[in-house]
Amino acid sequence: MRKIQTEILVLGGGATGVGVARDLAMRGFKTLLVEKGDLTNGTTGRYHGLLHSGGRYVVKDPQTARECIEENRILRRIMPHCLEDTGGFFVLTPWDDPEYAHHFIEGCQKAGISIEEITIREMLDEEPLLNPRITRCFRVPDASADSFLATDLNVESARQYGAEILRYHQVVRLLTSPALPFSRLSETGTDAPPSSGKEDRCEDSSNVKVIGSICRDLVRDEEVIIYSDLVINASGAWAGQITQTIGISLPIIAGKGTMVAVNHRILNTVVNRCKIPSDGDIIVPAHTVAVVGTTDVRVADPDHYAIEPWEVHLLLEEGDKLVPGLKTMRILRAWAGVRPLYQETQVNDTREVGRAFVLLDHEQHDHVSGLVTITSGKWTTYRKMAQATVDLVCKKLNLNRPCHTHLEPLPSPHKRRYHHLGERLAQVEKEKTSGELVCECELTTLQDVLGAIDTGGAQTIDEIRRDVRLGMGPCQGGFCTYRVAGILHTRKHSRIEETNIAIRDFLQERWKGLRPILWGQQLRQECLDELIYLSLLNADHLPGPTYSHLASINYSLPGETLPPSSFGIGSETLPPDPLISSTKNEVLIPSHPKRAVGSEASPPPTDILVIGAGLAGLTAAWQATRRGLKVHVISRGWGTLYFHAGCVDLMGYYPFHDQVPLSSPIAGLSRLIQDHPRHPYAITGLEVINQALQEFKELCDQSGYPLSGSVDQNFLLPTALGTLRPTCLAPATMINGDMRQSRAGPILIVGFPQFQDFYPALISANLQAQNFLSTDYILDLESLHSRHMVTSRILAQLFEKPEFRAEVSDALHNRIKGTARIAFPAVLGLEHASEVINDLEKRLGVPIFEIPTLPPSLPGWRINQILVKAIESRGGKVENGIQALSAMVDNGRIVSIINEAAARQRSLQASRFILATGGLLGGGLHTDYKGGIQEMIMNLPVIAPGRFSEWLDTEFLSQTGHPVFQSGIKVDEKFQPISEDGLPIYNNLSIIGNILANAQSIRERSLEGIALTTGFIVGKTN
Ligand SMILES: Cc1cc2nc3c(=O)[nH]c(=O)nc-3n(C[C@H](O)[C@H](O)[C@H](O)COP(=O)(O)OP(=O)(O)OC[C@H]3O[C@@H](n4cnc5c(N)ncnc54)[C@H](O)[C@@H]3O)c2cc1C
């Protein structure tokens, strides 16, 4: 057991704890701070982000208002770089009591807060999205604050003054002298301080002194004893838990507040409702997003609480009063933190508890010396709380050491002026580092990430996120989790199990804040993220343990608390119960206008109009053109082909949660068809599946891009994480990577330093962990040095040039002795991949293969090209960038599709129609925040998995899959959509691909299989 001696021990690494540590260190105390998680693990990392002017409290809590405005001025001076000077509005909406405005003005004057009333016209000029029905608007000096950065800089400053900060050190209990039964060390069998010999709590505790604490080092999994002269308990909402270890109860209520982030900055000013503080009445612009908050609900345990659906709905409904339309905007994430509310008398509502800070000298309060608790308060007042605490320390120790924290600015690596939104973009443009972006959403560069790893000492990806805002944008880590894991592994040379755990922990950490708000575009985004991590990277098969004790705690399942009575439980505010309701909609009335206003005259009718140009739509079109039909394909954008591996996954695992991949898909398919007679494969049947694969192989063969495989076997191909992915058909460019075949000698995995989507060291380490011989190499080529950006497409174009291939093989020659095969990212050519590989193999004399990496997928693009050419060569037409809007219906038949092209509407007629819009992932299905699911073009009935709360599993990498991804359209044996009574809805419409119900294609690893086989049969026969 480690033992540490210090002068002052600070418990808790939130704003208050680090503020205290800095102040202590600046006043010359030997200071040690322990934090059970990462810094800002508590409320400081889960707050609303507002530097209060105090305006919010002027009527109800004038003391807090005065503290806020004083500190507001000081923090603007000492840490402008942690603040954005957004300014603030207090606005009177039609829902607010006009009388309150008078009290507000009076309160601001008394507290010394400058306010200016502006006209509604001026307000709307500045913030055009605000509700025009607002009647009064007051400007106050609110601002937006970055607590992550402020905490870091406080720590940096504290360290400069000699303080030591230990993260992932959890206080297990306080130590006392004499030992109390709660804190006796004898249980640990070591160094007990002199014992009182009493078994019960000391009746007379007047001589009891706190002398330190026992902590658990969560990284090394060992206990540490820390002795100190004085302990400062700055553990926020946990303060009572800590004092309870020596029997002192503190009346601290944990008041949970939930917030949601809108995916863009709908406002540039902090906006408060002008009323007594209540739920959902503030919107704060924070970096690239706007945060709506908060609720205030008492919870029993500051570590375990749920984000309730009613809270999210309340925030949307209330936010909508400030910014009309907010509730239909894309919501990125929800999170919640707990307020430490100190209340000695009983209260019914947590909003009744004052926000002023509380400083307790336990010598005075409980006759236990050596312990001071500082709690409650606001982030805005953290510095003042720290100053008061250290003043008390000085007084207790009879020292005269004045505070300087209000004078000395926090360290600033780059600048000392207010932060502004365009800063990162300006930096990236100035330094031309766009090619080094690890997180495109938040413009986080490779240098930023390396800085967080090297100087910040980040242990987890979540710490890197906190430091550089990585993974906080719309894709919530979809792309950058993989990249940062690769960088972390390469940089730290960690054990691969640690990297794998960091990946899982971070994916789960992002998931926990997404789950409460997954509908609409964000749910679609999540489908893509699932495709990347399950289907493309097979991250649920990473070697090593799945659990980490450094992971952040999941939110509990909702259902614990009810909405406040003021928030009506009506259909307007709460999600409807049975979401199957949409399936009951048998009356098929298109939701869009049937007649397109001002539409152009139609071109001559086609035989088949296919909507959607993914693998399903293109396969159907290809087959139909082979029958001599006139086919037209329209599509809004790219299909899944561009995102996935460029193979045909037929069925990877059965049952889906089985950890062992199917060696033969056909065996799994037979069982699946028996178990799930409504699955799309059950409708196509095995024979059609086999035929579809054969004919598709023939097409690719004839196109000079051969595919290998059959329904009888799955290849096991390495992924860009180094896991093995079962797939049925794979291009010849990947077949040498089949890991079922052992070869003498290691695989050499080759990457490029400028290419951010492929990490050889990570792949190699995971292959080694699965007992495969493997090494890695980064190929630093002269010809790439001058490029600011190296994408997969650029590399593919370069590989098509013989001189580039010569440069690659020259550079590799010395590295390949004893190598059995060489792997590259899947960038070996665009249209001539087979020739590129043959040439490289000739030059290097070693088999070569491609490993698919992050989207966009070049192997997918190659298949897309083959199909488009096949369609066009037989007179078919494929048009991209065309959005189908609605259908014209007549007498049980679809007559035409209204679509939008180049800012006008037109209608396309055909004899038959095929809908291949790809379900939730493709955008063919849309979900909303009330739990509705709609088919977007024809308003077809959708099979949905039940209640909104049942849509998603608690784990991102769920073993059983997320039920909502099974949503889709029910069809008959001819793939015609059917109503609940089993009758076809339109007899000239077929449904194919991933919009079909009753499959979980990503979980099953059947993404292309379902698309190809259903597209094949419908194109061939319907
Ligand atoms: C929903 C919400 C929104 C808010 N918005 C704002 C706002 O916009 N502006 C504002 O000024 N204020 C805001 N606040 C208040 C503000 O966030 C808090 O007052 C402030 O962050 C508290 O900081 P703290 O350091 O006291 O507590 P915390 O940040 O909670 O720090 C306590 C630390 O102690 C650690 N700890 C606990 N137990 C142990 C243990 N056994 N061993 C070691 N460490 C331990 C925890 O992990 C935690 O990191 C908000 C609060 C909430 C809940």
Side-chain angles (χ1 to χ4, degrees), residues 12 14-16 35-36 41-44 47-48 50 171 339 377 379-380:
T16 311
E35 162 56 52
K36 69 174 175 177
N41 169 62
T43 313
T44 303
Y47 83 143
H48 203 163
L50 169 56
V171 176
R339 301 173 180 88
W379 179 86
T380 304

Side-chain angles (χ1 to χ4, degrees), residues 426-447:
Q427 189 79 7
V428 166
E429 284 182 339
K430 185 170 154 217
E431 293 171 5
K432 296 190 170 47
T433 45
S434 47
E436 291 188 359
L437 287 179
V438 178
C439 169
E440 287 99 344
C441 304
E442 292 290 323
L443 298 180
T444 309
T445 64
L446 178 62
Q447 287 313 316

